[in-house]
Amino acid sequence: MASLVLLQDGQAIRFELSGELVLLGRHPDCGVQLNSGMISRRHARATWDGSHWYLEDLGSGNGTFLNAQRLEQPTRLTHCDRVKLGPLLLRYEEQEVSEPLVELPEDGGMQLPSQPNPFQPPAVDATLAPPPRASASPSETFQFNLSDEDEDSAQIMGSLENVGRFGMLDVQPDVKLKAVLEISRSLAGSSDVQALLPKILETLFRIFPHADRGSILLRDDDTGRMIPAAQRHRRDEEDSTVKLSRTILNKVLEDRQGILSADAASDSRFDASESISSLTIRSMMCVPMLGLEGEPTGVINIDTQNPVNQFRSEDLDLLMAVAGQAALSYESARLLASHFEKQKQDSEMQIARDVQRALLPRELPSVEGYDFFASYDSAQAVGGDYYDAFMLDDTKICLSFGDVAGKGVPGALIMSRMASVVQNTMNFTHDVGEAIVAINNHMCANAVEGRFVTYVLVVIDLTTHEMTLVNAGHMSPLIRRPDGTVDQFDEETIGIPVGIMEGFPFDVVSRPLSPGETVVIVTDGVDEAMDPEGNLYTKERVVEFVQNASPRADELGRDLLADVRRHANGREQNDDITIMAFSRSALDS
């Protein structure tokens, strides 16, 4: 049995996860209801695939974070994961855990935590993931062996001073400068991250001519594990397996400093580690690759089995300097590759934005005695809000308005499907009741779980000036009378959102549209717009604004949007903002 534990006001509130889908948010129908203005009504969802629970953000305004990383796609939950929604923090717990987490304590050893603290930043995990098939050595595939010492025998006696990315600058500066320049020249212009790593090892073999084997391990951003990424050995006839003690690796990662062992079998600092004695390494060096923020992104390890040419402390400091420059080159290549990928994504998103805009009506109906307005502002390049307005025949106008659960690309895809379904359905029937059943059934077929649409469908008869409407889970349209009072439809007439239950019997309501009356429909991006302090615009303020606004639909819509922008006061919008308004002229009889 899995559960989410909310830690609030010194208390632990447990929410059991059951079934195949659990919604998280402040709406009363959420399985995990969280009362906070910083949390969306349907903020996130947890889904069960038969083996594991996955967490997914539903386009919330403030995002969903798992272990301090913002969720961009469904992510598997593991025991003691930290989930953050707005200001609230939860812990995911499972009754049984197959693999306990490994933490690195201050003494440099490894231990299994008996009471893990889920709100402590995750420690660096020195566990190795399986190596990739790509090889950076002259041989066809490289091999790596990380020894697993007994917990009690993995302690390292003594500690080394952390002297920064480039070692001690006053130690052999001329040699160090020459080596840094050589590796800088070798790596200049490299933007291929995978091709960069073999070049680093190749340069190191020139700087250290007595090195026999070398390897680079990189930290996986998702798992925190050290993954063998490149390897090189000098002589094909000898054992090419690079061997490294977990004790040494942990020490390098924890202290951000290099380790030198002139002879691992006799080095007093490793007396407690029996496995190191079995490695028969005559001389080895292992140093961290420190990223731009000083955190280890990987390690470089080289060794020699020549008992005559052992590495010395000067070699270690030189390797630290070279590794510092190599790490900067690696980070630069990663940033450059990320930049190119971002440019490609931006170009594709601009195309998607243009395609989505083309789905919206280029112009609104022009009918004597009526005034129409609509505006659409997505929070991202594309969004999940939707509206449409078109003539059914010479006497009827169809107005369609919806808000997909979620924004961005997923919301835009559902929005495009909804737009197509409405257009096709209304070509065959002008009856609102029949149309909403057909639209809902179509959206339920092959529906994406959790991607429903709150929706309002309106048909205006221009001969009788009667408005026929169906509301599928959306906020009630506001009807402004000529005297400024605001009328709303009974909440009992509001059905469930489109795409949830096939064959749902929606209520159809009719109301005459009197001269001087204006109807306003908005998405929750309007009433949930936030200022820099996190205060919502609120539905009450929307109603108050409509009461005091111009009776003309175009003026009211533009002024409402401007007032929402003033409230936001420069804060980036949290959700798509869409407004539709239509009015009947007061002079019309």
Side-chain angles (χ1 to χ4, degrees):
M1 176 64 70
S3 60
L4 285 170
V5 181
L6 171 65
L7 302 183
Q8 189 177 34
D9 299 329
Q11 295 182 342
I13 305 174
R14 185 176 300 274
F15 299 91
E16 300 291 344
L17 300 181
S18 59
E20 297 182 352
L21 172 67
V22 178
L23 291 175
L24 291 76
R26 56 183 173 82
H27 196 278
D29 65 2
C30 290
V32 178
Q33 185 181 4
L34 305 169
N35 296 320
S36 172
M38 300 293 289
I39 294 179
S40 301
R41 290 180 294 180
R42 293 174 178 85
H43 196 105
R45 66 175 179 179
T47 55
W48 175 254
D49 69 347
S51 301
H52 306 286
W53 282 97
Y54 286 77
L55 185 65
E56 178 184 6
D57 184 77
L58 295 180
S60 62
N62 292 311
T64 301
F65 294 81
L66 181 64
N67 297 326
Q69 297 293 322
R70 184 166 188 148
L71 289 183
E72 301 294 342
Q73 59 186 4
T75 304
R76 176 185 166 183
L77 291 170
T78 58
H79 184 61
C80 286
D81 275 350
R82 306 177 313 282
V83 178
K84 187 172 185 294
L85 289 77
L88 301 183
L89 203 58
L90 302 96
R91 180 179 64 239
Y92 173 75
E93 293 185 353
E94 293 178 343
Q95 189 173 6
E96 297 181 359
V97 185
S98 58
E99 297 182 359
L101 300 179
V102 176
E103 294 184 350
L104 301 181
E106 296 181 357
D107 59 7
M110 301 187 68
Q111 64 180 16
L112 302 181
S114 57
Q115 294 181 341
N117 181 1
F119 305 107
Q120 179 181 359
V124 177
D125 188 353
T127 305
L128 279 181
R133 289 188 57 83
S135 175
S137 75
S139 59
E140 51 282 0
T141 353
F142 63 78
Q143 299 178 351
F144 195 94
N145 179 16
L146 183 70
S147 63
D148 292 314
E149 300 95 350
D150 181 79
E151 181 182 349
D152 295 332
S153 65
Q155 304 297 321
I156 296 178
M157 307 303 295
S159 61
L160 296 175
E161 180 185 1
N162 187 336
V163 293
R165 185 194 305 275
F166 296 103
M168 295 179 290
L169 297 178
D170 58 344
V171 175
Q172 35 179 12
D174 53 340
V175 178
K176 192 173 296 184
L177 177 59
K178 180 181 178 181
V180 169
L181 289 176
E182 181 173 354
I183 197 166
S184 298
R185 183 173 61 252
S186 301
L187 306 180
S190 298
S191 59
D192 187 341
V193 176
Q194 294 303 320
L196 184 71
L197 302 177
K199 289 184 178 181
I200 294 176
L201 290 176
E202 181 180 350
T203 307
L204 288 176
F205 271 47
R206 291 199 301 267
I207 296 174
F208 301 98
H210 49 294
D212 291 322
R213 301 173 300 189
S215 63
I216 297 178
L217 284 69
L218 297 179
R219 184 179 185 272
D220 184 88
D221 293 334
D222 296 327
T223 65
R225 294 183 173 185
M226 302 305 298
I227 301 177
Q231 178 177 321
R232 183 179 179 87
H233 61 280
R234 192 176 297 278
R235 289 175 290 275
D236 292 337
E237 66 274 8
E238 295 185 359
D239 182 14
S240 63
T241 303
V242 173
K243 302 175 182 178
L244 180 61
S245 163
R246 191 186 302 273
T247 302
I248 297 176
L249 181 58
N250 287 344
K251 185 69 174 176
V252 170
L253 293 174
E254 280 195 337
D255 292 350
R256 278 73 165 160
Q257 177 60 297
I259 292 292
L260 165 66
S261 176
D263 189 337
S266 61
D267 194 326
S268 61
R269 290 184 296 114
F270 303 118
D271 285 344
S273 298
E274 297 178 2
S275 64
I276 299 177
S277 301
S278 67
L279 297 181
T280 64
I281 298 176
R282 295 297 179 184
S283 184
M284 60 79 63
M285 294 188 295
C286 185
V287 299
M289 296 174 62
L290 300 180
L292 298 177
E293 298 180 356
E295 292 297 319
T297 60
V299 297
I300 297 176
N301 173 77
I302 62 175
D303 65 62
T304 177
Q305 298 186 28
N306 189 333
V308 178
N309 294 322
Q310 295 188 1
F311 294 126
R312 299 174 297 175
S313 59
E314 295 83 1
D315 295 321
L316 178 63
D317 195 64
L318 179 60
L319 181 58
M320 280 291 296
V322 174
Q325 182 60 39
L328 290 179
S329 299
Y330 173 71
E331 286 292 303
S332 298
R334 288 184 62 186
L335 291 174
L336 186 60
S338 177
H339 173 69
F340 288 150
E341 182 64 25
K342 181 65 166 57
Q343 283 186 322
K344 179 182 177 181
Q345 292 177 356
D346 289 345
S347 176
E348 293 175 348
M349 289 303 296
Q350 183 59 46
I351 296 174
R353 177 186 177 92
D354 295 340
V355 171
Q356 185 181 41
R357 293 289 176 174
L359 296 175
L360 301 175
R362 294 185 177 181
E363 57 184 26
L364 299 175
S366 178
V367 179
E368 184 178 356
Y370 281 85
D371 185 30
F372 297 90
F373 170 85
S375 69
Y376 173 75
D377 293 277
S378 60
Q380 301 175 13
V382 293
D385 283 3
Y386 150 77
Y387 74 87
D388 202 355
F390 51 93
M391 299 293 300
L392 294 176
D393 53 33
D394 293 337
T395 62
K396 290 182 179 179
I397 299 176
C398 177
L399 302 174
S400 183
F401 192 89
D403 183 359
V404 179
K407 54 181 180 291
V409 174
L413 292 174
I414 303 298
M415 173 269 196
S416 63
R417 182 183 177 192
M418 186 74 180
S420 175
V421 170
V422 172
Q423 284 277 351
N424 291 332
T425 301
M426 299 309 294
N427 284 333
F428 291 95
T429 179
H430 297 171
D431 184 274
V432 171
E434 294 180 2
I436 189 61
V437 171
I439 293 170
N440 178 59
N441 290 345
H442 189 98
M443 294 300 293
C444 285
N446 301 320
V448 178
E449 188 70 27
R451 296 295 180 181
F452 52 83
V453 185
T454 62
Y455 180 65
V456 176
L457 179 64
V458 181
V459 171
I460 302 175
D461 190 322
L462 299 177
T463 58
T464 63
H465 303 291
E466 186 174 55
M467 173 177 62
T468 306
L469 176 147
V470 63
N471 188 336
H474 201 80
M475 185 173 73
S476 174
L478 305 177
I479 305 172
R480 184 188 185 280
R481 300 190 182 94
D483 60 1
T485 57
V486 174
D487 187 19
Q488 301 183 47
F489 291 97
D490 193 332
E491 290 191 359
E492 294 183 356
T493 64
I494 300 177
I496 65 174
V498 168
I500 292 182
M501 180 186 297
E502 188 173 356
F504 183 83
F506 292 93
D507 290 335
V508 177
V509 295
S510 298
R511 184 188 186 282
L513 194 61
S514 303
E517 288 189 332
T518 305
V519 180
V520 181
I521 313 175
V522 300
T523 59
D524 56 9
V526 174
D527 58 288
E528 293 185 357
M530 290 189 290
D531 63 12
E533 287 73 38
N535 300 311
L536 299 176
Y537 189 80
T538 72
K539 179 182 177 181
E540 291 73 20
R541 183 165 174 175
V542 176
V543 174
E544 181 181 356
F545 184 89
V546 171
Q547 289 175 335
N548 301 307
S550 167
R552 288 184 55 86
D554 55 348
E555 294 180 5
L556 188 154
R558 284 192 295 269
D559 292 344
L560 176 58
L561 179 60
D563 194 57
V564 172
R565 297 295 186 201
R566 281 192 296 271
H567 172 78
N569 193 23
R571 174 167 179 161
E572 186 177 353
Q573 68 185 76
N574 305 308
D575 201 354
D576 305 327
I577 297 176
T578 305
I579 301 172
M580 175 180 278
F582 55 94
S583 59
R584 183 181 175 191
S585 173
L587 301 179
D588 189 53
S589 57

